[in-house]
Amino acid sequence: LLKQEGQEGVLAEMVKPNIRSYSTLLDAYSRNPHKKTAEESEMLLDRVRRRYEETDDPDLAVNVYAVNSVLLHWSKSNRGVEGAIGGTALLNRMKEEGSVDTISYNTVIDAWARSGDEDAGVKAESILRKMQSKAEEDVSWAAAT
């Protein structure tokens, strides 16, 4: 019927995945880390980010919830130091884009706590200090998180 009326594009615009759809999927992945890897979650996040950059579709702008879902996946991946390093790398990359909050930092601190690394405490404290510096530099960020 829509095709006959020349409005099939209207339905396509109404029913399309947005960042909330992808964030929900990423959250599901993080809750079952044995079915999907943290790398797969991060690749999906990157695909959404590239799609946003290609289309300028505001519905695909990566948000902190999506990033935190992938950070949680790294933290709960049961991969020790490798999981903590993966989470730290993503945190640093997303920090540059302004897509992190207190939960992001806390999740990576937790990843280091779970890592079993003999220097986990030192590395977790380093993340905490970076969060403190961010809060001191940008009071509005600290208040928002």
Side-chain angles (χ1 to χ4, degrees):
L1 180 62
L2 286 173
K3 200 172 216 177
Q4 291 173 349
E5 296 175 13
Q7 296 180 354
E8 64 271 7
V10 172
L11 183 60
E13 279 297 309
M14 290 172 47
V15 182
K16 67 176 185 171
N18 59 22
I19 193 59
R20 186 173 205 162
S21 309
Y22 290 109
S23 295
T24 302
L25 180 60
L26 289 166
D27 184 56
Y29 286 175
S30 74
R31 292 175 188 273
N32 194 354
H34 304 292
K35 297 290 181 186
K36 292 285 185 181
T37 66
E39 288 90 350
E40 288 173 299
S41 287
E42 192 165 335
M43 285 188 310
L44 176 59
L45 182 70
D46 289 340
R47 278 197 315 268
V48 172
R49 204 168 93 251
R50 279 192 308 274
R51 175 95 177 167
Y52 168 71
E53 290 168 358
E54 292 166 0
T55 64
D56 287 327
D57 182 349
D59 291 337
L60 294 175
V62 170
N63 61 25
V64 71
Y65 185 79
V67 171
N68 285 346
S69 292
V70 179
L71 289 172
L72 182 63
H73 200 158
W74 278 114
S75 177
K76 306 282 185 177
S77 68
N78 295 319
R79 289 168 53 193
V81 174
E82 186 181 359
I85 289 170
T88 301
L90 179 61
L91 177 72
N92 290 336
R93 191 164 51 107
M94 294 294 104
K95 189 170 50 174
E96 296 300 317
E97 297 179 14
S99 297
V100 297
D101 63 4
T102 300
I103 293 168
S104 310
Y105 284 92
N106 288 341
T107 302
V108 175
I109 290 169
D110 183 61
W112 281 108
R114 295 169 177 273
S115 73
D117 186 87
E118 63 183 41
D119 292 328
V122 171
K123 292 173 181 171
E125 187 174 349
S126 172
I127 301 289
L128 178 69
R129 293 198 189 290
K130 289 176 185 175
M131 179 172 49
Q132 289 172 325
S133 293
K134 174 72 174 161
E136 289 169 6
E137 290 170 12
D138 186 352
V139 177
S140 64
W141 177 84
T145 60

